Amino acid sequence: MAREAAKHPLGEIVRQSPPFDINHVPDDSWLKDKTIIITGAASGFGEGFLRRWAAAGAVIVAADINVAKGDRLVRDVKKDTGNANLHFVHCDVTDWQSQVNLFREAVKLSPHGGVDTVVANAGIAEPKDPFEEPHSLDLADPPPPDMSILDVNLNGLVYTTYLALWYLPRNPGSSPANPNCVTSETQRDRHLILVASIAGLMPIPMSALYGASKHAVVGLYRSLRSTSFMHGVRINMLCPYFIDTPLITATARVILAGGTIGKAADVVEAATRFAADPHVVGRAVSVGPKLKVKQNPNGDWDLVEGDDQDAEQRAIWEVYLHDFENTDVFQRRIVGLMNRVTEIRGWTGWIQDMIAAIACSLRSLWR
């Protein structure tokens, strides 16, 4: 089976781009006039994305549950960048209607009546893992454990993803994501960035629910990136390590004291390489502290101490690089069927999408 699977790589079939080029730095200016929704935008990574992309001239709809902080941040960034196309919209990601309202408002605020990129970033950390100290179970009516972390990190992200996969294909003037596109001829985008965590790639002790939520995000990404070509949407994922943001709890900071912790600027850089380069399709990276490394003859990376002209500083590492290189029969057959459906839709599907795009444009004119 392994020998047969190796003969059937699916990367090209699912429209996945080549491996992520760590050394390629795209031009931020491509983000100018792109309409971007960012959830959890009032602090942490969301704030970093907002500041960087606002400076590039993007139209940003910043969503957060914290109205005072979010509104103040948007006003400050407007002043700092001179970009008037920045908007704050209150959103509780755990509430379906709140997210529906966010996307509808984003379309109204968008100068072209559509959305180019959605960043599913909202997330929380658990101050105390309920599995480590179950309590009150001896009561007549024991209370359930606090599941808010799953409500935000998983359910909220699923809502965002679900809505994104409806709105992005209807972005007026956009074309299906294509890793072979010509950047200068690609005016609009259909892009979804999922923010997971290193906790979705490896176990983090005493963070069971947080780890469960982030593993679920990784699973969602790995499944959707094999089918998103049917919507013409490109999906990429960020998996930050322990990064210096408000999400890092005091306990985690104590544990990490004297060790390594990453910088939010490197996560923003990785996200920008996704957002500003329409060629990057179906790729995921982990972002951690900058390390001085050198690749050995076996292809592995070794830490380097002292001076070495061949060493390099790296904070961004690609993950799940080989998902579609060795595939089983089920994967090949189901992806083949989806390609056939896309072919059958042909011009009919194109006409339907164009009608939807024109309708979105007309609604924006009448708002």
Side-chain angles (χ1 to χ4, degrees):
M1 176 66 74
R3 189 178 297 114
E4 178 188 0
K7 297 178 181 178
H8 297 85
L10 292 178
E12 185 175 344
I13 297 175
V14 299
R15 320 304 198 265
Q16 185 185 37
S17 61
F20 193 69
D21 185 354
I22 300 297
N23 297 314
H24 173 66
V25 181
D27 186 355
D28 284 23
S29 64
W30 190 79
L31 293 173
K32 182 176 174 57
D33 299 326
K34 302 296 187 296
T35 298
I36 302 173
I37 295 175
I38 305 171
T39 64
S43 62
F45 303 143
E47 178 181 350
F49 303 152
L50 170 61
R51 290 185 180 277
R52 173 83 175 258
W53 301 341
V59 179
I60 299 180
V61 179
D64 204 281
I65 196 170
N66 190 326
V67 175
K69 194 170 184 178
D71 185 64
R72 182 171 61 251
L73 174 63
V74 167
R75 284 189 279 108
D76 289 345
V77 178
K78 277 184 180 181
K79 182 178 179 181
D80 293 341
T81 63
N83 185 345
N85 288 317
L86 309 178
H87 312 278
F88 174 76
V89 176
H90 170 262
C91 179
D92 176 358
V93 295
T94 67
D95 183 89
W96 167 249
Q97 191 58 49
S98 184
Q99 290 223 42
V100 170
N101 295 342
L102 165 65
F103 277 78
R104 288 176 175 172
E105 186 65 16
V107 170
K108 291 179 181 179
L109 293 169
S110 171
H112 75 282
V115 178
D116 293 286
T117 294
V118 175
V119 185
N121 169 71
I124 60 174
E126 52 191 335
K128 191 174 183 180
D129 185 354
F131 287 100
E132 298 302 322
E133 294 184 24
H135 63 88
S136 303
L137 295 178
D138 55 344
L139 299 178
D141 294 306
D146 182 0
M147 305 294 280
S148 58
I149 197 162
L150 293 182
D151 292 336
V152 176
N153 294 3
L154 179 55
N155 295 343
L157 182 137
V158 168
Y159 286 165
T160 305
T161 301
Y162 188 80
L163 287 161
L165 290 177
W166 195 87
Y167 277 90
L168 290 172
R170 291 163 173 78
N171 184 22
S174 68
S175 300
N178 178 6
N180 300 312
C181 68
V182 178
T183 303
S184 61
E185 298 176 1
T186 306
Q187 301 304 314
R188 305 246 66 94
D189 206 354
R190 301 179 184 181
H191 186 204
L192 171 62
I193 298 177
L194 302 181
V195 180
S197 166
I198 193 69
L201 306 178
M202 58 183 282
I204 304 296
M206 302 184 71
S207 296
L209 279 182
Y210 183 79
S213 71
K214 294 302 183 178
H215 271 77
V217 174
V218 171
L220 180 69
Y221 159 77
R222 294 178 75 188
S223 294
L224 286 179
R225 74 168 174 175
S226 64
T227 61
S228 62
F229 69 87
M230 296 187 67
H231 306 280
V233 173
R234 62 188 186 104
I235 297 181
N236 296 299
M237 179 177 68
L238 295 167
C239 294
Y241 181 69
F242 292 102
I243 306 293
D244 189 11
T245 70
L247 204 62
I248 299 295
T249 63
T251 301
R253 291 180 184 276
V254 170
I255 294 172
L256 291 167
T260 55
I261 189 167
K263 301 296 183 184
D266 290 319
V267 178
V268 173
E269 177 64 29
T272 303
R273 295 186 186 196
F274 285 156
D277 190 346
H279 302 95
V280 181
V281 182
R283 290 296 171 182
V285 296
S286 177
V287 186
K290 274 201 170 89
L291 302 174
K292 191 175 183 180
V293 294
K294 181 179 179 180
Q295 198 164 24
N296 63 36
N298 295 325
D300 297 323
W301 293 88
D302 297 325
L303 283 172
V304 174
E305 296 182 10
D307 295 330
D308 189 328
Q309 293 184 347
D310 295 327
E312 60 179 289
Q313 295 276 352
R314 291 187 62 171
I316 302 172
W317 306 84
E318 185 159 13
V319 296
Y320 293 115
L321 183 62
H322 307 294
D323 267 8
F324 297 123
E325 291 184 9
N326 298 319
T327 60
D328 60 21
V329 172
F330 175 79
Q331 283 179 299
R332 295 199 299 277
R333 288 179 177 171
I334 194 67
V335 170
L337 286 171
M338 290 185 296
N339 266 281
R340 184 58 180 153
V341 169
T342 303
E343 292 173 2
I344 292 173
R345 285 187 73 218
W347 282 101
T348 301
W350 181 85
I351 291 171
Q352 291 174 344
D353 290 344
M354 288 301 296
I355 291 174
I358 292 170
C360 283
S361 297
L362 290 175
R363 283 196 295 271
S364 69
L365 291 175
W366 286 97
R367 67 173 183 266

